[in-house]
Amino acid sequence: LEVLRRIRERVQEKLEQPGQEDRELEQSFRRAVTEEPKALGLDVESDLRLRFHAVIPTKYWVGTHLCTPSFAASVVGLEDGLRAWRSLRDCRRTIFSGRTNC
């Protein structure tokens, strides 16, 4: 649980900064997922089996949020997951950019 808390705090810190670029958010997430387990002497794949998925708020338009499949937090899985997030984010931006209440 400690490692998840630390990852969340690092990413949340970036989200709260004004003018946050998506590229910077991705870098923050990538670094947190790789660095925090190491700092606690853990391996992301063998010790934690850490996985993630992205959720894009689209309930207003399609009746539900869109989610990517889950990806392993390994080097390859991390990049595949971020690519899937970018794809959903870009689709949503064709309709709306910004926060919603859904």
Side-chain angles (χ1 to χ4, degrees):
L1 273 169
E2 176 65 16
V3 71
L4 296 176
R5 185 189 61 76
R6 289 169 69 163
I7 291 169
R8 184 184 68 201
E9 283 178 0
R10 283 182 61 175
V11 174
Q12 188 67 37
E13 190 176 284
K14 272 292 183 197
L15 283 171
E16 292 171 357
Q17 293 176 356
Q20 183 61 42
E21 296 279 332
D22 288 339
R23 181 181 68 254
E24 293 168 346
L25 180 60
E26 280 186 45
Q27 289 172 349
S28 176
F29 180 71
R30 187 181 292 111
R31 283 188 200 119
V33 167
T34 56
E35 293 171 2
E36 292 302 333
K38 286 180 187 174
L40 295 172
L42 299 168
D43 181 82
V44 171
E45 292 182 65
S46 62
D47 294 328
L48 300 175
R49 294 182 166 173
L50 190 60
R51 301 185 66 80
F52 71 98
H53 70 273
V55 178
I56 305 296
T58 56
K59 192 172 185 174
Y60 180 76
W61 294 280
V62 296
T64 188
H65 297 303
L66 297 178
C67 300
T68 67
S70 68
F71 295 91
S74 62
V75 174
V76 173
L78 195 55
E79 295 310 315
D80 289 345
L82 289 171
R83 189 172 22 262
W85 170 73
R86 283 191 299 271
S87 179
L88 281 181
R89 179 208 58 209
D90 292 346
C91 288
R92 181 175 181 263
R93 281 188 176 160
T94 62
I95 298 169
F96 180 80
S97 181
R99 293 190 181 266
T100 65
N101 290 331
C102 1

